[in-house]
Amino acid sequence: MQETDFSYLNELNNVQRQAVETIDGPVMVIAGPGSGKTRVLTYRIAHLLKLGIAPWNILALTFTNKAAKEMKERIESKVGSDAYKVWMGTFHSIFARILRVEAHRIGYPNDFTIYDADDTKSLLKEIIKSMNLDIKTYNPATIRARISKAKSNLITPKAYAANEELLSYDRMQRVPMTHDIYQKYYDRCIRAGAMDFDDLLLQMFRLLYLNPDNIREKYQKLFRYVMVDEFQDTNHLQYEIVKLFVNFEDSPNNICIVGDDAQSIYSFRGATIENILQFQHDYPNVKIFKLEQNYRSTNYIVQAANQLILNNTKQIQKKIWTEQIGGSKIKIFKALTDREEGRKIIDLILEHKMRNHLKNSEIAILYRTNAQSRIFEEYLRRANIPYRIYGGMSFYQRKEIKDILAYMRLVVNPKDDEAFKRIVNYPKRGIGNKVMEQLLASAEKNNISLYESCFDAELTPRARKLINEFIRLIEGMRDKNKNGNAYETVSYIVKASKIADLLAVENTIESQSRLENINGLLNGVQEFVENDEFLGEEIIVNRDLPAYIQHISLLTDLDESDKETKDVITLMSVHLAKGLEFNSIFVVGLEENLFPSYLSMNDPDAIEEERRLFYVAITRAKQYLTLSYCNNRYQYGQIRSNDPSRFLEEIPEESLDTMSALLINPPKEFDKPKILGGLKPQKLKSSNFESKVDISNFKADNPNSLSTGMRVLHIKFGKGTILNIEGSSTNKVAKIKFDEIKDEEKRIVLRFAKLQIIDS
DNA sequence: GTAGTCACTATTTGA
DNA sequence: TAGTGACTAC
């Protein structure tokens, strides 16, 4: 090792430095937004390495792959490639890796598959139906949440069935059979060699707790230094696992947790701030460091955040501060409708970019629910601003990808019933409900998986023949996998399954893009196969198909982000934005019943969580923060009107740009001045923010008066030129090139379209 | 067994 | 509104 150089410690402020240097015993770091939390964690790990601790003796658990990846890269820049030998990753991915080696000790195959939310729901549905229960009463999504919560609280099916409190709750909810469903679901997962997301934690706990072959000691010895990021987001189960790693006789209790109670926004999935309080109780000699200096935002934003969070009753006292005085005040915009909100925000972004010389990548639009993204997407496209939407449908959730993935899963683990169900008749091979019912009955009778039941189920000759062909297909793929690497297997699957052929024959824009996605998947597999990966003491050379499947099962949309570092505007939910920062942030849809969500309205605790969520939203902004709301919004197909969000009132007046009122609609609408933290109604102008298509003046012309070459206005696409018109009188179709729609011209059916002639 | 139609309903956040 | 499930016709 080179001459040890600790000069990097000088790059830290006082508290940060203490948190980094206190490596022995329990440590708790309470870190406000933008206070250098990641910095502390990365420097701390780098420091441990510099002190000669072996990288594989360090366990660092995060909540997102992205956070782990970023930290690894930052540690690498300090200490080199040793960074990659640190056990660093999400709870789920680290535990999945351990279980891939140890699962056989607790009744699962090491090549277990991971059931995602869809798999779980589909299995629950099957179970509920098989019990002759009403699928509407027993909503699979609700049951899933219930089971997930039970698992997060270490309640096994047996414990559930013995828990009078839970049972009576279920009776009150008129779903008394929930415990039975849970038991059946649990058994079916084992039968299928599958773990859901919660099982990755629960089975990890079981492994350590049951302690076969003294396995617990092995990991207690290995992980000499344990760190947990975003501790406020851990649930009970996660904390219990961490304690099993750390607590043993004569343990030095080298555990460091980092978190911010004010940013706890995941209670819906079982996270509990109680863990932070409990931690102080469990480790009375804990050393606590509070990072309160904010290096991210201007004072207006920091003060607004401080004031806002004071409205919560439950919190650890702290006050964040910044040296960055001055800057832009917070702007608030009001719109009449959700569409107008979209239009205004995009207009504002255009102007904002010009005036402040911002790149697209410095701007983000944040919203409470993913459904809100559509309107912004539409106006961004119209304005020709490149953007990227996170959340919603991710690459690995696309149908074509999940189909291929299902083949891969069945190849690796033939007991995977959910994969089986998905592809047994895709592409169509004449195996329908009838045959499926027989297979299910046979599997149930013998307590075997569906695939296993294929071999000896009694079937009609026709079905027998089809099933045998299917078995041959899958066995062929399995052979391929035995001899080749993951890439070769997946290429073979794509070909042999005939999915690629099917899409090629279809030959639509849709199917083309599906084919491209499949190619993208293949490239991903190849990349995975070629890249070695470190973890622990040795290089993980095992880049096989099971490893790949596991890898992508735990990926999220966010993890794809830096693949293309294009200059685009970011659109995402506030939840996803946690941990990120942007120069300019737009938080939209600040209305009662939306943000805060209507589901939290009657629950003070839930309102506090919504407030923390808003706290997270505004503290993402470095320099510019803009908030908006509207009176009327389309929701579930009807217009609803909501009051402005209570959170707007909670922003201190000193932080607000009163000039932004000039851009708000006429006073007539402005009937609740108190909402804006004391803002008075003023003479207002809205002309700056008219859209390119002014809906109030729009008047469609008779389609028969249209002809080639005319300039027309379309209510959705804006101005354009008619290139030609074809078809008979009632079915006329016009080809129109719109000025602001890139690349293709649009084919517009005149019977439906509303076009106004602006120039003939 | 499959494809197409119609009616219904559930509306948050995510590893 | 959009996605899903049940039902019907082939």
Side-chain angles (χ1 to χ4, degrees):
Chain A
M1 195 196 260
Q2 67 201 64
E3 194 72 358
T4 312
D5 171 15
F6 293 110
S7 62
Y8 55 90
L9 290 172
N10 298 327
E11 296 161 26
L12 301 165
N13 73 27
N14 236 335
V15 192
Q16 288 174 340
R17 182 169 174 158
Q18 287 175 53
V20 164
E21 289 190 290
T22 310
I23 59 166
D24 294 315
V27 168
M28 175 159 103
V29 181
I30 301 292
S35 64
K37 179 194 67 157
T38 310
R39 199 179 177 82
V40 165
L41 267 174
T42 52
Y43 277 62
R44 197 169 196 276
I45 293 169
H47 191 58
L48 286 170
L49 295 173
K50 287 264 185 181
L51 289 172
I53 310 290
W56 49 86
N57 286 143
I58 301 171
L59 171 67
L61 298 167
T62 65
F63 270 82
T64 63
N65 297 302
K66 192 162 186 264
K69 193 172 161 226
E70 270 174 23
M71 275 199 262
K72 277 183 198 167
E73 284 165 0
R74 282 163 75 165
I75 297 168
E76 189 204 12
S77 73
K78 291 268 174 299
V79 299
S81 67
D82 263 6
Y84 292 97
K85 297 179 188 168
V86 172
W87 285 79
M88 182 179 310
T90 62
F91 279 87
H92 293 86
S93 71
I94 293 287
F95 295 170
R97 285 173 166 194
I98 294 176
L99 287 166
R100 283 252 291 149
V101 185
E102 318 282 3
H104 65 278
R105 299 176 200 274
I106 50 170
Y108 286 85
N110 281 2
D111 281 341
F112 64 90
T113 35
I114 298 172
Y115 275 179
D116 68 12
D118 285 340
D119 296 319
T120 297
K121 272 185 270 183
S122 141
L123 175 51
L124 283 171
K125 206 161 122 190
E126 186 204 310
I127 291 169
I128 292 162
K129 279 187 176 166
S130 78
M131 293 168 70
N132 285 321
L133 297 171
D134 179 26
I135 200 81
K136 280 168 196 147
T137 317
Y138 289 87
N139 180 320
T142 316
I143 302 284
R144 183 183 91 91
R146 193 103 180 105
I147 291 175
S148 171
K149 208 159 189 184
K151 286 184 177 173
S152 303
N153 285 299
L154 264 172
I155 299 166
T156 58
K158 277 207 185 77
Y160 197 110
N163 186 319
E164 194 45 47
E165 200 182 328
L166 292 171
L167 296 179
S168 79
Y169 177 88
D170 286 341
R171 279 195 297 272
M172 263 167 37
Q173 299 293 310
R174 302 191 185 284
V175 284
M177 298 302 283
T178 303
H179 70 278
D180 222 11
I181 300 173
Y182 181 17
Q183 181 71 59
K184 287 199 162 69
Y185 171 75
Y186 193 90
D187 294 341
R188 280 293 296 272
C189 282
I190 291 177
R191 190 170 98 191
M195 295 195 199
D196 63 21
F197 286 129
D198 300 303
D199 278 327
L200 292 176
L201 309 176
L202 185 64
Q203 302 308 331
M204 183 70 216
F205 179 87
R206 268 188 73 220
L207 176 74
L208 296 173
Y209 185 79
L210 297 175
N211 199 19
D213 309 315
N214 259 328
I215 206 78
R216 193 192 321 158
E217 204 183 327
K218 170 176 162 189
Y219 288 99
Q220 286 171 339
K221 270 197 183 141
L222 185 63
F223 301 141
R224 289 172 54 204
Y225 292 88
V226 177
M227 269 161 266
V228 184
D229 190 16
E230 309 278 16
F231 192 74
Q232 76 282 352
D233 289 336
T234 52
N235 60 35
H236 176 67
L237 174 54
Q238 285 165 323
Y239 184 31
E240 290 302 318
I241 297 169
V242 169
K243 281 200 279 193
L244 282 177
F245 284 137
V246 174
N247 296 358
F248 50 93
E249 221 181 314
D250 298 323
S251 164
N253 287 344
N254 292 332
I255 176 169
C256 170
I257 63 158
V258 181
D260 179 7
D261 58 301
Q263 292 184 66
S264 160
I265 55 174
Y266 283 110
S267 74
F268 69 92
R269 66 177 197 219
T272 164
I273 319 184
E274 297 298 313
N275 280 349
I276 291 193
L277 306 173
Q278 190 59 37
F279 188 83
Q280 300 177 70
H281 188 260
D282 290 339
Y283 302 95
N285 59 333
V286 59
K287 297 199 181 72
I288 299 175
F289 302 99
K290 283 189 192 176
L291 306 179
E292 295 179 305
Q293 181 174 3
N294 174 301
Y295 294 94
R296 178 185 295 151
S297 314
T298 66
N299 195 41
Y300 291 124
I301 295 166
V302 167
Q303 287 319 321
N306 270 334
Q307 286 294 316
L308 173 82
I309 208 67
L310 279 180
N311 291 291
N312 273 7
T313 54
K314 291 172 193 161
Q315 58 192 306
I316 293 174
Q317 283 303 320
K318 69 173 167 310
K319 196 170 171 93
I320 55 171
W321 59 278
T322 176
E323 287 174 349
Q324 299 182 58
I325 306 300
S328 290
K329 291 190 171 183
I330 300 168
K331 291 189 172 70
I332 297 183
F333 283 90
K334 172 185 187 164
L336 283 177
T337 65
D338 48 354
R339 297 197 63 81
E340 194 189 41
E341 182 187 40
R343 198 185 72 216
K344 273 188 173 180
I345 293 288
I346 304 313
D347 281 347
L348 201 59
I349 285 176
L350 282 170
E351 194 202 292
H352 184 53
K353 273 178 58 176
M354 295 287 264
R355 185 181 308 166
N356 302 311
H357 307 290
L358 290 179
K359 287 195 289 185
N360 290 326
S361 56
E362 293 177 289
I363 301 170
I365 300 176
L366 307 183
Y367 33 78
R368 178 66 179 82
T369 67
N370 282 318
Q372 289 166 256
S373 67
R374 271 190 42 198
I375 289 173
F376 296 98
E377 187 179 6
E378 189 185 319
Y379 282 99
L380 281 167
R381 201 182 301 153
R382 203 184 283 185
N384 253 327
I385 302 176
Y387 61 89
R388 161 128 203 226
I389 296 180
Y390 292 84
M393 180 76 73
S394 82
F395 182 77
Y396 297 104
Q397 288 173 322
R398 287 165 214 246
K399 183 188 177 307
E400 63 276 18
I401 301 300
K402 291 196 92 167
D403 291 334
I404 302 284
L405 209 52
Y407 276 97
M408 291 156 61
R409 279 166 51 175
L410 199 60
V411 163
V412 168
N413 171 17
K415 291 155 99 179
D416 185 339
D417 283 354
E418 296 312 305
F420 180 94
K421 283 195 276 183
R422 188 175 184 105
I423 53 165
V424 66
N425 198 30
Y426 181 83
K428 298 245 148 53
R429 50 176 73 89
I431 301 172
N433 284 339
K434 274 273 158 55
V435 182
M436 261 310 285
E437 272 168 32
Q438 284 169 300
L439 291 176
L440 274 168
S442 164
E444 200 57 41
K445 198 175 103 204
N446 303 309
N447 196 27
I448 52 175
S449 68
L450 289 168
Y451 190 74
E452 288 163 315
S453 78
C454 280
F455 290 91
D456 46 31
E458 277 180 47
L459 300 167
T460 61
R462 186 189 110 89
R464 184 77 263 164
K465 186 169 161 279
L466 294 169
I467 285 291
N468 285 347
E469 269 170 42
F470 177 67
I471 292 175
R472 214 171 304 134
L473 177 70
I474 299 297
E475 289 302 321
M477 294 172 178
R478 284 166 62 76
D479 285 344
K480 189 78 191 172
N481 189 43
K482 272 178 207 135
N483 305 319
N485 66 25
Y487 177 75
E488 288 161 356
T489 308
V490 180
S491 322
Y492 181 78
I493 286 175
V494 171
K495 273 198 215 85
S497 69
K498 303 238 166 64
I499 290 179
D501 292 348
L502 197 71
L503 291 171
V505 169
E506 208 180 301
N507 200 21
T508 57
I509 298 170
E510 174 82 3
S511 71
Q512 287 293 331
S513 108
R514 286 179 188 280
L515 266 179
E516 276 167 32
N517 287 335
I518 290 177
N519 274 326
L521 179 73
L522 274 168
N523 289 338
V525 179
Q526 188 156 35
E527 206 177 297
F528 181 84
V529 170
E530 284 169 358
N531 287 321
D532 287 336
E533 193 185 11
F534 295 92
L535 182 71
E537 198 162 352
E538 286 162 36
I539 301 172
I540 298 282
V541 281
N542 200 1
R543 305 288 276 183
D544 56 8
L545 195 56
Y548 179 73
I549 295 172
Q550 181 191 297
H551 171 70
I552 60 175
S553 298
L554 299 170
L555 277 186
T556 66
D557 202 21
L558 203 57
D559 302 319
E560 294 288 294
S561 60
D562 34 34
K563 277 212 167 145
E564 37 201 293
T565 41
K566 286 186 196 145
D567 183 32
V568 299
I569 287 192
T570 299
L571 280 76
M572 55 170 58
S573 68
V574 181
H575 280 91
L576 271 187
K578 184 156 125 191
L580 306 180
E581 59 177 28
F582 295 88
N583 202 309
S584 179
I585 291 278
F586 292 80
V587 189
V588 300
L590 281 159
E591 295 132 45
E592 289 288 295
N593 294 315
L594 183 62
F595 200 173
S597 157
Y598 70 100
L599 289 157
S600 65
M601 281 304 163
N602 301 318
D603 180 352
D605 285 348
I607 287 286
E608 296 213 344
E609 173 140 328
E610 296 282 316
R611 187 175 284 111
R612 290 194 294 271
L613 192 56
F614 185 52
Y615 179 85
V616 168
I618 64 178
T619 52
R620 299 308 97 201
K622 291 201 238 176
Q623 283 195 60
Y624 306 104
L625 176 60
T626 310
L627 312 173
S628 75
Y629 66 98
C630 60
N631 296 95
N632 299 295
R633 170 179 301 278
Y634 251 100
Q635 270 174 315
Y636 325 124
Q638 42 185 321
I639 295 171
R640 298 191 177 193
S641 53
N642 293 310
D643 286 333
S645 170
R646 69 191 70 189
F647 300 147
L648 290 173
E649 280 182 273
E650 297 171 4
I651 306 266
E653 206 176 335
E654 310 85 75
S655 288
L656 280 182
D657 178 3
T658 43
M659 290 301 285
S660 67
L662 287 174
L663 303 167
I664 297 174
N665 277 324
K668 188 178 66 141
E669 310 297 331
F670 202 65
D671 50 357
K672 289 197 177 71
K674 67 172 166 56
I675 296 303
L676 294 182
L679 264 190
K680 299 284 178 300
Q682 306 184 23
K683 274 277 175 204
L684 308 162
K685 263 194 328 201
S686 60
S687 56
N688 299 352
F689 288 88
E690 289 308 342
S691 85
K692 287 160 196 78
V693 183
D694 183 351
I695 294 163
S696 56
N697 290 333
F698 184 88
K699 192 176 151 292
D701 285 294
N702 184 336
N704 290 325
S705 55
L706 301 171
S707 62
T708 305
M710 277 181 174
R711 294 280 293 159
V712 291
L713 188 62
H714 183 277
I715 196 133
K716 208 164 152 197
F717 302 128
K719 290 178 187 168
T721 307
I722 300 182
L723 301 179
N724 73 32
I725 298 179
E726 46 194 58
S728 62
S729 57
T730 51
N731 270 325
K732 278 189 184 170
V733 177
K735 252 196 211 163
I736 302 177
K737 172 73 186 84
F738 290 103
D739 303 353
E740 301 184 17
I741 311 279
K742 241 190 158 176
D743 35 69
E744 10 103 76
E745 62 257 6
K746 293 232 173 256
R747 288 170 59 81
I748 303 278
V749 181
L750 296 180
R751 192 150 44 97
F752 303 123
K754 297 207 172 8
L755 292 167
Q756 181 179 8
I757 301 169
I758 49 177
D759 195 2
S760 48

